[in-house]
């Protein structure tokens, strides 16, 4: 009975999608009265509850670590009518409508999990998605219970002069003993995961946005006093997002106020709480001296994402957490569209596909694979995944392609109209698209239920004298945990044939839908030898296998009129070359080098595109193509190709480097492209072994008037052994030691280093006075960066696996979500050669044998060992 291990080895019960039942009780109104204090916060809640349907079941209020100080039922202390059932409060009720009052005390200062109400840097703030509200008060913590919130906050006025919550401010005033209060009311019914409160000493960047119907919205971005100058970019992105959603989706903002607060301790990117978004400060604060171009882009993307949730997530929310992709996949698609519209669509698509391949494809091929709408979970926090978010967005993108922009818009209009103010399902979304367009998406729904990345084989046969060609297609979907057999999916492929002689497309691009195991498409009227351009724009999230030769890929990389396809052809050529090197020990670098030269010197291309196109696939991506990963071999083959590209094209890199030198910072697409090119060229010069690279890099580092150039140079130096490396690292540290977001970059630059001593350096950095596992950004900056550094993390002598397992065990008691997110790097053990696989597996087993693991880590580790 009292065996502490017993609980640890029996995984907690899974929640299953098919078990969904509507809530027994609704809560149309909730009034919270919160007396805020870091160590002792009192939360009084008044819930108006209403029986939902004919049943005699008790009212079940979720709680997590709460002890009731008082419970009143219709104003009375009926001790026989309520009881604790584990962490939950259960109340027997006889009628249909009742008033429930509870009071609890919580300690934000002691909350290291960063879920519920917690303290960050002197600020009190909340994070309730997915199940954090139950750490604040007793409540039916599920997204299909929607309530109107009235929130009264009370706190010490000197320490917490600003008191924010969702909705509209109704009243404020002073109280005795140096306290003050604020009363907020949110007129829109919402699930409790969208509740938010912030108290602190903050200042705001305040501006006004006028909606298309002429309403003035007060916008506020709230930060610590010194950070105010870094909020302009986020503010501009917010206004642009508001205008974009009106224009592209017909969605206008609904409250009179929209506030954003930046906090430094946050488990995720940001949170879309109604009218009061809370952000990880890294996705708000940006200026040229401290943020890279990629940081600027990420700020705009996340600001847009959270803003877009006001409709896709808040006005229409999720019925249950299995529907998470309903809001996340759709909202990621919306933020991707927005960012594409703001800058270069081709480069944005390349970045999004690169992120999908880096994070989602491995997930889909590993022990944690799940469909975008999972069938079961133990801990919902573990399902905020690249699959639900990014593959979810790809599924929406395919719907957009299949229905066309107008059909898709008609569908989303109907969806918003039909489900406004309600909790919906993925099925509701698909039905709205069908009803608005007449399309039949029956088979397409497999994308919601089947996990695994489809493999599509494409081969083109042609008969030039006859003017004909035949494209043969086939698909298979690999087995995934719990899904040994799959049905053929609907795969939309944008296809064109290019003429080998003219370099021009023969006929318009076609959208071909492969919806059976095999398919065939015939082309006629061809006047020259055709070359196949397929899955243009990455129209489907698949792995493509084609019979295109190196010279055909090189041709496409130089001539395809779809920029993504051009990039993709180059990537495929590079991958084929690298894989041949790993598999056969020998390969011909010539075609890759020639293709890079052509791209580098093509006057029709912009620098931003060129910089993406000439980059080799990552070591991890090469590993993903192989049956068994040998990180050392992959690194050696890739380095050899890099060196050859660097040396053979040295003059071109020097040209590109000189051409892309800027003299004054500008945040324009052209200037951004030049900066990207500048550092990419520097990297190839370093790979060439040219004597002056360290000097060039250090000059770039020292002369930079922006973080992109500075961090780029530091990254190049960090891989080398020159004396300039230590100088630059030291100067960077001294200059930015007071700026946590920049100091994160200092940790990351070292954790990503290709040097052989990186595992030891990371180990040492984990004992650096500025390292802490308490801050998720700092933890990630060192530990996640190290875990994605394939050669360093998998260096058998480096002890990386033990290091990561120790980190997981150290972080788990404080912050289970953060700890669980470190597990997948070890969880991929089956993909590696036997020695490494065994060592990784042993660490997973050591974790599993540790008593007292969180549900979060337990689920990820046990699934990884299955
Ligand atoms: N809904 C948030 C988003 O995608 C995600 C999120 C924020 C989250 N904080 C979290 C998820 C904490 C889990 C735990 O924008
Ligand atoms: Zn989101």
């Amino acid at each position: 009975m009292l065996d502490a291990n017993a609980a640890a080895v029996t995984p907690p019960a899974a929640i299953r999608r098919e078990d969904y039942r509507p809530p027994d009780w609704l809560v149309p109104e909730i009034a919270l009265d919160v007396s805020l204090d870091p160590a002792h916060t009192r939360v009084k809640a008044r819930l108006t509850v209403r029986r939902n349907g004919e049943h005699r079941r008790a009212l079940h209020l979720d709680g997590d670590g709460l002890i009731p100080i008082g419970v009143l039922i219709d104003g009375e202390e009926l001790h026989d009518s309520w009881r604790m059932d584990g962490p939950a409060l259960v109340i027997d009720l006889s009628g249909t409508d009742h008033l429930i009052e509870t009071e609890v005390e919580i300690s934000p200062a002691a909350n290291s999990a960063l879920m519920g109400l917690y303290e960050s840097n002197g600020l009190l703030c909340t994070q309730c998605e997915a199940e954090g509200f139950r750490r604040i008060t007793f409540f039916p913590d599920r997204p299909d219970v929607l309530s109107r919130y009235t929130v009264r906050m009370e706190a010490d006025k000197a320490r917490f002069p600003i008191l924010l919550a969702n909705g509209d401010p109704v009243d404020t005033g002073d109280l005795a003993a140096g306290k003050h209060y604020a009363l907020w009311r949110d007129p829109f019914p919402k699930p409790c995961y969208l509740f938010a409160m912030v108290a602190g000493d903050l200042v705001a960047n305040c501006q006004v946005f006028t909606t298309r119907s002429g309403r003035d919205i007060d916008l506020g971005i709230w930060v610590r006093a010194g950070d105010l100058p870094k909020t302009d970019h986020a503010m501009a992105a917010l206004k642009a997002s508001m205008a974009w959603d009106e224009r592209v989706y017909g969605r206008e903002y609904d409250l009179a106020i929209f506030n954003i607060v930046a906090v430094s301790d946050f488990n995720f990117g940001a949170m879309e709480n109604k009218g009061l978004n809370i952000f990880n400060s890294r996705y708000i604060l940006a200026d040229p001296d401290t943020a890279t171009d990629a940081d600027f882009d990420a700020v705009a993307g996340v600001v847009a994402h959270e803003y877009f949730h006001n409709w896709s997530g808040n006005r229409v929310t999720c019925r249950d957490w299995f529907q998470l992709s309903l809001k996340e996949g759709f909202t990621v698609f919306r933020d991707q569209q927005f960012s594409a519209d703001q800058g270069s669509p081709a480069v944005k698509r390349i970045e999004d596909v690169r992120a999908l391949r880096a994070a989602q494809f491995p997930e889909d091929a590993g022990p944690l694979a799940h469909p975008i709408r999972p069938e079961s979970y133990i801990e919902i926090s573990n399902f905020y995944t690249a699959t639900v978010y990014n593959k979810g967005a790809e599924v929406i993108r395919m719907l957009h392609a299949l229905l066309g922009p107008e059909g898709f818009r008609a569908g989303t209009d109907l969806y918003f109209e039909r489900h406004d103010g309600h909790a919906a399902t993925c099925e509701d979304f698909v039905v709205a698209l069908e009803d608005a367009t007449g399309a039949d998406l029956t088979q397409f729904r497999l994308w919601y239920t089947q996990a695994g990345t489809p493999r599509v084989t494409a081969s083109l046969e042609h008969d030039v004298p006859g003017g004909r060609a035949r494209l043969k297609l086939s698909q298979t979907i690999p087995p995934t945990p719990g899904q040994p057999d799959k049905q053929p999916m609907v795969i939309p492929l944008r296809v064109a044939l290019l003429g080998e002689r003219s370099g021009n497309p023969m006929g318009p691009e076609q959208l071909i839908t492969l919806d059976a195991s095999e398919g065939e498409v015939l082309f006629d009227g061809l006047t020259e030898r055709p070359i196949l351009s397929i899955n243009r724009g990455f129209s489907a999230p698949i792995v493509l296998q084609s019979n295109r030769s190196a010279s055909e890929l090189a041709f496409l990389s130089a001539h395809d009129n779809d920029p993504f396809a051009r990039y993709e052809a180059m990537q495929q050529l590079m991958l084929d070359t690298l894989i041949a090197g790993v598999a056969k020990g020998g390969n011909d670098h010539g075609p890759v080098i020639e293709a890079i030269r052509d791209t580098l010197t093509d006057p029709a291309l912009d620098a931003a595109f060129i910089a993406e196109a000439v980059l080799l696939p990552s070591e991890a991506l090469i590993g993903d193509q192989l049956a068994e990963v040998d990180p050392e071999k992959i690194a050696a083959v890739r380095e050899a190709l890099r060196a050859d590209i660097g040396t053979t094209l040295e003059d071109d890199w020097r040209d590109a480097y000189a051409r892309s030198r800027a003299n004054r910072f500008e945040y324009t697409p052209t200037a951004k492209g030049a900066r990207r090119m500048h550092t990419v060229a520097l990297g190839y010069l370093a790979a060439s072994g040219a004597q002056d690279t360290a000097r060039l890099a250090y000059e770039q580092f020292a002369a930079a008037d922006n973080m992109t150039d500075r961090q780029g140079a530091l990254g190049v130096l960090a891989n080398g052994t020159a004396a300039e490396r230590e100088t630059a690292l030291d100067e960077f540290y001294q200059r930015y030691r007071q700026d946590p977001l920049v100091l994160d970059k200092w940790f990351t630059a070292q954790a990503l280093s290709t040097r052989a001593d990186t595992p030891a350096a990371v180990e040492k950095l984990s004992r650096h006075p500025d390292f802490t596992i308490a801050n998720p950004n700092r933890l990630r900056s060192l530990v996640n960066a190290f875990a994605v550094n394939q050669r360093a993390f998998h260096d058998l002598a480096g002890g990386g696996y033990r290091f990561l397992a120790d980190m997981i065990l150290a972080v788990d008691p404080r912050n289970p979500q953060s700890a669980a997110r470190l597990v997948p790097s070890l969880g991929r053990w089956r993909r590696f050669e036997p020695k490494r696989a065994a060592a990784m597996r042993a660490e997973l087993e050591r974790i599993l044998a540790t008593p007292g693991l969180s549900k979060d880590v337990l689920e990820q580790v046990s699934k990884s060992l299955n």
Side-chain angles (χ1 to χ4, degrees), residues 456-534:
V456 174
T457 306
S459 65
L460 187 71
E461 292 161 9
H462 50 80
D463 159 20
V464 179
R468 281 188 301 267
R470 179 199 304 263
L471 174 61
K472 284 191 175 172
L473 298 168
S474 66
Q475 61 165 306
T476 57
I477 302 116
T480 48
Q483 297 188 333
D485 301 307
K486 307 277 165 83
Q487 289 165 256
M489 303 174 89
V490 177
I491 300 180
L493 297 165
R494 288 171 46 200
V495 174
L497 298 184
L498 275 81
E500 190 186 38
R501 195 165 26 76
S502 65
N504 291 330
M506 295 188 282
E509 176 185 288
Q510 300 189 34
L511 184 67
I512 291 170
T513 304
L514 173 65
D515 59 8
S517 305
E518 295 188 356
E520 224 177 64
V521 189
L522 299 173
F523 299 85
D524 51 29
L526 305 187
T527 48
E528 50 183 318
R529 199 175 103 93
I531 295 179
L532 174 66
S533 171
I534 186 168

Side-chain angles (χ1 to χ4, degrees), residues 185-196:
R185 178 156 172 87
D186 184 355
F188 292 95
K190 65 169 176 286
C192 66
Y193 81 86
L194 291 173
F195 166 78

Side-chain angles (χ1 to χ4, degrees), residues 714-858:
L714 187 67
V716 171
L717 285 170
N719 292 337
T721 53
E724 287 91 338
R725 177 191 202 261
E726 304 315 313
T727 314
L729 280 170
D730 202 50
E731 287 178 3
F732 193 93
Y733 176 78
Q734 295 304 336
R735 177 165 176 177
Y736 293 112
R737 55 187 306 182
Q738 305 306 336
D739 187 328
L741 295 175
V742 187
L743 203 51
D744 290 340
K745 299 178 187 301
W746 183 79
F747 280 97
T748 299
Q750 297 173 77
L752 289 180
S753 170
T754 54
R755 278 167 58 123
D757 63 355
T758 295
V762 167
E763 220 288 314
K764 191 166 168 219
L765 284 168
S766 73
R767 286 178 273 111
H768 191 281
D770 288 305
F771 181 75
T772 171
I773 60 170
N775 177 266
N777 291 351
R778 185 58 47 83
L779 178 72
R780 291 171 83 92
S781 75
L782 182 67
V783 181
N784 293 58
F786 175 57
V788 301
N789 182 344
Q790 182 162 284
R791 73 181 91 175
F793 177 57
H794 294 278
D795 176 352
L796 266 179
Y801 306 150
R802 164 162 289 270
F803 172 78
L804 188 66
D806 285 344
M807 276 292 165
I808 291 168
L809 290 172
V811 175
D812 194 38
R814 318 182 37 96
N815 187 331
Q817 287 183 7
S818 274
R821 238 175 282 146
L822 298 172
V823 174
S825 306
L826 282 171
R828 283 194 266 284
W829 59 277
R830 276 191 189 83
R831 301 275 309 115
F832 289 82
E833 55 76 29
K835 257 194 182 157
R836 287 178 172 84
M840 293 168 84
R841 189 185 163 162
E843 293 300 335
L844 287 168
E845 278 164 352
R846 177 164 73 91
I847 297 171
L848 194 63
T850 308
L853 290 180
S854 67
K855 268 206 283 182
D856 309 55
V857 167
L858 197 55

